């Protein structure tokens, strides 16, 4: 017959170190999940309601208590910064490794995320938070991706050789400008397609074949 264990008693064969660390690992995993939910909920809430959205509403969307919210983000500025860095990190991760497609995927994601983040950026700016400074000083991976991906695509022969980072930024801004008169997903996708086609390296014309007279 199996020996009955008291509540909190470790499994048979579990060492003291394992018994002590298991609850810690669970708490850490729970903490990471809660933080991820809070970041996603905050992004959606800022986009919908702007900077005036309450901590209670963000916590409700994330399915956590306001106490859990405060433990992860003691101030609203810290939450704003975490939201910005989280979105930038996602952009970098989605860039991919295949140089022949990564650049065009990254460009499209930049435009899509830029359109989605517009209201979030307005919310951050309205409370004096410098989203550009945070992006440039706290996450160099984004800048590295923006500089490195065109170069890799050019080396692979996928992007025209005369394109530089400033061109890419200007073209992203141009695509985003299409939404100034109202959100139009079809028009934005059309702009992305037009720009990406223009950025592709043109195949070199074949040398004319000469025939003996």
């Amino acid at each position: 017959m199996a020996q009955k264990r008291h509540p909190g008693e470790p499994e048979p064969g579990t060492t003291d170190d394992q018994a002590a660390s298991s609850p810690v690992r669970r708490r850490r995993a729970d903490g990471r999940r809660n933080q991820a939910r809070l970041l996603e909920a905050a992004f959606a809430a800022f986009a919908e309601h702007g900077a005036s959205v309450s901590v209670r509403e963000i916590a409700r969307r994330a399915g956590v208590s306001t106490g859990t919210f405060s433990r992860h983000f003691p101030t609203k500025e810290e939450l704003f910064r975490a939201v910005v860095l989280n979105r930038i990190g996602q952009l970098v991760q989605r860039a991919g490794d295949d140089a022949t497609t990564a650049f065009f995927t990254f460009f499209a994601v930049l435009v899509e995320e830029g359109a989605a983040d517009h209201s979030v950026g307005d919310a951050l700016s309205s409370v004096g938070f410098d989203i550009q400074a945070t992006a440039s000083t706290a996450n160099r991976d984004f800048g590295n991706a923006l500089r490195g991906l065109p170069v890799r695509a050019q080396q692979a022969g996928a992007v025209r050789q005369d394109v530089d980072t400033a061109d890419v930024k200007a073209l992203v801004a141009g695509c985003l400008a299409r939404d100034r008169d109202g959100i139009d997903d079809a028009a934005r996708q059309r702009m992305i397609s037009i720009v990406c086609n223009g950025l592709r390296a043109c195949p070199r014309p074949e040398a004319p074949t000469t025939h003996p007279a």
Side-chain angles (χ1 to χ4, degrees), residues 4 23 25 29 32 41 46 55 72 76 90 92 126 145 168 170 174 201:
K4 184 178 179 181
R25 286 199 298 269
R32 287 192 294 269
F46 291 149
V55 167
H72 286 284
K76 185 169 279 192
Q90 289 180 8
V92 174
S126 68
V168 175

Side-chain angles (χ1 to χ4, degrees), residues 2-3 18 23 30 39 56 64 78 80 85 89 93 97 100 102 106-108 113 120 122 142 144 154 159-160 166 207:
Q3 184 177 1
Q18 290 172 329
D30 289 343
L39 289 172
R56 185 181 298 276
V64 302
E78 289 184 40
F80 288 162
L85 297 182
Q93 289 177 1
D97 296 321
T100 60
F106 191 57
F107 183 90
E113 289 286 339
V120 176
D122 288 346
F142 178 74
N144 291 338
Q154 287 167 335
V159 171
R160 33 187 302 165

Side-chain angles (χ1 to χ4, degrees), residues 14 27 29 40 42 60 65 74-75 77 81-82 91 98 100 104 111 117 122 152 173 176 182 188 197 205:
T14 302
R27 285 196 296 272
E40 289 301 317
R60 183 192 68 77
S65 68
T75 67
E77 183 178 73
R81 181 177 291 106
L91 284 176
D98 183 2
T100 60
F104 296 107
V111 175
D117 282 7
D122 288 346
R152 288 171 52 200
L176 292 174
R188 190 186 316 119
N197 285 337

Side-chain angles (χ1 to χ4, degrees), residues 120-187:
V120 176
D122 288 346
L124 300 180
S125 299
S126 68
V127 293
F129 180 78
D130 190 344
I131 184 172
Q132 294 297 332
T134 297
S136 62
T137 61
N139 197 321
R140 294 184 178 86
D141 287 344
F142 178 74
N144 291 338
L146 191 58
R147 289 187 296 271
L149 283 175
V151 173
R152 288 171 52 200
Q154 287 167 335
Q155 291 171 346
V159 171
R160 33 187 302 165
Q161 295 297 317
D162 56 350
V163 172
D164 60 21
T165 303
D167 294 333
V168 175
K169 289 181 179 179
L171 290 168
V172 169
C175 289
L176 292 174
R178 186 64 179 79
D179 281 342
R180 285 177 183 168
D181 297 328
I183 296 175
D184 186 337
D185 291 335

Side-chain angles (χ1 to χ4, degrees), residues 18-71:
Q18 290 172 329
S21 64
S22 181
V24 173
R25 286 199 298 269
R26 284 197 296 269
R27 285 196 296 272
R28 288 175 178 170
D30 289 343
R32 287 192 294 269
R33 283 192 293 269
N34 287 337
Q35 186 176 57
R37 287 199 293 264
L38 281 166
L39 289 172
E40 289 301 317
F43 175 78
F46 291 149
E48 186 175 346
H49 300 293
S52 62
V53 66
S54 68
V55 167
R56 185 181 298 276
E57 171 61 15
I58 295 173
R60 183 192 68 77
R61 290 180 179 227
V64 302
S65 68
T66 54
T68 297
F69 181 106
S70 298
R71 282 195 297 273

